[in-house]
Amino acid sequence: MNKLMIVLIMLCTVFLCCCSKKNDATTTTGTTTSGDTSYNTLYIPPVLTGTTFNLNLSKTSKQFFTSGTATNTYGYNGEQFWGPTLILNKGDHVSFNVTNNLADTTTVHWHGFHIPAKMDGGPHQKIAPGETWSPNFTVMNNASMYWYHPHLHEATYKQLTMGAGGLIIIKDAAEAALKLPRTYGTDDIPLVLTSRRFNTDHSFDTTVNDYGDYSLVNGTLYPQVSLPKQYVRLRMLNAEIERAYNLGFADNRTFYVIGNDGGLLDAPVPVTRLVLGVGERVELLVNLGNDAVGTTVALKAYNANQAFGFPGGESAQSGALGSLLNAHDFKVLNIKVAAATASAVTTLPTSLVTNTTLAASEATTNISTAITAGQGGSEFAFDDNNYNYVTINHTITLNAVVKWTFVNSNIFGHSIHIHDVQFKIVSRSSGAIAAYEKGWKDSFYLQRGETVSVVAKFEDFADSVNPYMYHCHFPNHEDAGLMGQFLVTP
Ligand code: C2O
Ligand code: CU
């Protein structure tokens, strides 16, 4: 997105507003879905448990539409899109065999994990075609939902778009002690939010676009899920290219945020809307106990009327920077209420876990990073440097508590992710930090014109050779160089 493009978008907007005739995709995925009866059953990825995990990435295909040709995709372990959900226990030592059956090099990154840099699966831990990479580490993170995905520099956009990725659920004793829904696929539902643009032959458009035209949840187009008449837990990941989701329910019901990227909150936070940026996860409790069996309620993205700079708020409906879903409120998931289960959770917990704080005043080191360039045809950069494999942008001493400030006096919103750590957001120049994002985070939405500071302790793993990454989690921005690397040294 550069200035020239913005002018073009504005011109297109004028054109579209004057003469738009909604096409089929807008009608079915856009604002007029209430009469839509042709839902597909939401796919729930299978789980893998234990302490040794084998993952094989290969080409496959998936029938997204009811007629016509299947779409060529990538999946792990024979999944038609995406991969199995790995269930890990905090404290376990786990090992992986990741085999690359593609014709291209890949990597697998364990997003959100606190692990040694050489196990991290960033751009340096390449897996050549036909090779197997076998990292192992101890699970130190709190119970929450994390994810794995390719992270090869300049290949992340394509491999993610083709479907490579998967969820990881970590369990721990503190979470297990709470009365929370936790039957995977029944009252504890993973939701991977994304979208794709299709060519006329149903292949994915893998030219670099910012947005897809069709909303997908767990790879399901027009998804519907039956959920029991009780409190249900929704674990959401924004696995988009750029689009942020302003999520809410069609009847504006209050729902409760119980967890952020890296663990549970102190207590449930009631909301009616929440913004989820790319790479972020959130855990929600929604009460369906007052809904009649057989009724439906839609989870929607209220993305219409966003200020410019909100990714997916642009009004262009086509082109590299537009989408049929942009600037629309669109249905993400249709929920159909079913009978309660035998062991239903029917009350909201008043408190969850006791989180330690990490305040700006505890910082021993300050880092400031500016979003630069991205205009006049240049690619977005951190501090005017586009990523390369050899430049170490920052060196952090082991056990440093770092206040890391991201300054976005630039033209568009981004989503920032730092490897190795879970941090606390300590300031947002746009206003107060929402109560629902006061937990442990590894990714955050950085608005256009905003400065955000986070505080993290870089402990346990020092390595003077292998760096960790920090980057915009829009894979197109990351591939184009909006990424840097840091060493944690003894
Ligand atoms: Cu989800 Cu650096 O990645
Ligand atoms: Cu970005």
Side-chain angles (χ1 to χ4, degrees):
M1 178 78 63
N2 61 42
K3 267 185 184 155
L4 186 70
M5 297 298 208
I6 289 166
V7 172
L8 282 172
I9 286 174
M10 285 169 174
L11 287 172
C12 293
T13 306
V14 171
F15 174 77
L16 282 163
C17 292
C18 297
C19 21
S20 73
K21 176 186 164 292
K22 284 197 175 120
N23 63 26
D24 286 354
T26 308
T27 308
T28 44
T29 58
T31 51
T32 55
T33 43
S34 51
D36 196 335
T37 52
S38 55
Y39 292 108
N40 298 309
T41 301
L42 176 74
Y43 186 69
I44 304 291
V47 299
L48 294 179
T49 58
T51 54
T52 302
F53 297 88
N54 299 316
L55 291 174
N56 300 285
L57 178 60
S58 54
K59 287 187 176 176
T60 172
S61 67
K62 176 165 176 140
Q63 188 77 41
F64 286 95
F65 297 92
T66 44
S67 61
T69 47
T71 303
N72 289 325
T73 54
Y74 294 172
Y76 293 96
N77 296 15
E79 290 296 296
Q80 296 179 349
F81 180 83
W82 205 244
T85 299
L86 314 183
I87 310 284
L88 271 52
N89 296 306
K90 185 175 182 176
D92 278 0
H93 194 85
V94 292
S95 41
F96 300 85
N97 300 299
V98 184
T99 301
N100 177 11
N101 291 319
L102 299 179
D104 302 313
T105 301
T106 189
T107 79
V108 172
H109 169 56
W110 319 105
H111 180 125
F113 276 58
H114 179 48
I115 47 177
K118 63 179 185 304
M119 305 296 175
D120 195 41
H124 295 270
Q125 285 86 45
K126 293 188 171 83
I127 316 172
E131 277 190 359
T132 298
W133 179 57
S134 300
N136 66 90
F137 49 79
T138 299
V139 179
M140 297 177 73
N141 288 74
N142 294 327
S144 197
M145 189 172 80
Y146 303 82
W147 59 307
Y148 58 95
H149 63 76
H151 210 313
L152 181 66
H153 185 48
E154 298 179 317
T156 299
Y157 172 87
K158 186 191 170 192
Q159 293 181 3
L160 262 179
T161 297
M162 291 300 288
L167 297 172
I168 304 175
I169 292 174
I170 296 182
K171 306 212 170 229
D172 69 13
E175 189 273 344
L178 296 166
K179 199 168 181 335
L180 290 172
R182 61 170 67 79
T183 307
Y184 181 88
T186 299
D187 62 3
D188 182 353
I189 311 294
L191 300 174
V192 180
L193 313 185
T194 191
S195 62
R196 290 294 181 274
R197 173 165 295 172
F198 294 88
N199 296 312
T200 47
D201 66 356
H202 289 174
S203 59
F204 284 143
D205 183 347
T206 54
T207 57
V208 181
N209 297 300
D210 293 355
Y211 304 105
D213 289 323
Y214 289 84
S215 170
L216 299 175
V217 182
N218 302 346
T220 307
L221 186 65
Y222 312 131
Q224 175 168 276
V225 64
S226 283
L227 294 179
K229 184 180 157 55
Q230 61 206 51
Y231 273 96
V232 293
R233 182 179 190 170
L234 304 179
R235 304 179 190 246
M236 298 189 193
L237 161 69
N238 181 338
E240 278 280 8
I241 306 160
E242 295 197 5
R243 178 177 291 106
Y245 285 69
N246 180 31
L247 292 163
F249 289 88
D251 60 1
N252 293 319
R253 73 181 58 199
T254 297
F255 54 101
Y256 302 87
V257 181
I258 60 165
N260 290 156
D261 306 334
L264 293 167
L265 294 165
D266 293 351
V269 175
V271 294
T272 54
R273 293 286 183 272
L274 87 92
V275 174
L276 192 67
V278 175
E280 290 186 293
R281 287 88 64 211
V282 72
E283 283 191 32
L284 312 177
L285 289 182
V286 184
N287 186 13
L288 301 177
N290 301 320
D291 295 77
V293 170
T295 58
T296 60
V297 60
L299 172 70
K300 294 182 71 175
Y302 290 90
N303 282 14
N305 305 313
Q306 297 291 336
F308 186 78
F310 181 93
E314 307 95 311
S315 43
Q317 299 287 288
S318 63
L321 312 175
S323 148
L324 297 173
L325 299 173
N326 278 8
H328 278 82
D329 297 341
F330 63 91
K331 191 179 283 193
V332 172
L333 177 67
N334 206 52
I335 295 171
K336 192 164 194 176
V337 181
T341 62
S343 53
V345 171
T346 55
T347 53
L348 184 71
T350 50
S351 66
L352 298 165
V353 296
T354 307
N355 285 295
T356 52
T357 58
L358 202 47
S361 58
E362 296 170 59
T364 57
T365 307
N366 289 292
I367 298 177
S368 185
T369 297
I371 310 271
T372 56
Q375 305 178 48
S378 68
E379 301 292 354
F380 285 112
F382 286 134
D383 305 315
D384 292 318
N385 299 306
N386 290 94
Y387 178 81
N388 70 69
Y389 277 93
V390 294
T391 303
I392 299 297
N393 304 88
H394 297 282
T395 299
I396 295 169
T397 309
L398 185 67
N399 293 322
V401 176
V402 177
K403 180 184 172 191
W404 200 328
T405 300
F406 289 84
V407 181
N408 183 18
S409 45
N410 207 309
I411 53 167
F412 206 63
H414 299 272
S415 201
I416 304 296
H417 172 48
I418 305 174
H419 289 209
D420 180 31
V421 290
Q422 291 290 330
F423 51 72
K424 291 284 174 79
I425 301 174
V426 296
S427 67
R428 277 192 179 274
S429 66
S430 61
I433 301 156
Y436 68 73
E437 63 169 11
K438 286 191 174 166
W440 293 108
K441 299 281 296 165
D442 55 55
S443 307
F444 66 92
Y445 173 45
L446 177 63
Q447 295 178 42
R448 174 186 187 228
E450 192 181 33
T451 295
V452 174
S453 297
V454 304
V455 176
K457 185 168 187 191
F458 292 77
E459 54 192 348
D460 302 315
F461 307 115
D463 185 328
S464 302
V465 178
N466 295 288
Y468 293 104
M469 303 297 126
Y470 63 100
H471 58 96
C472 175
H473 215 291
F474 298 176
N476 51 340
H477 288 181
E478 171 187 335
D479 278 351
L482 190 48
M483 178 158 72
Q485 46 193 9
F486 62 93
L487 288 173
V488 179
T489 56

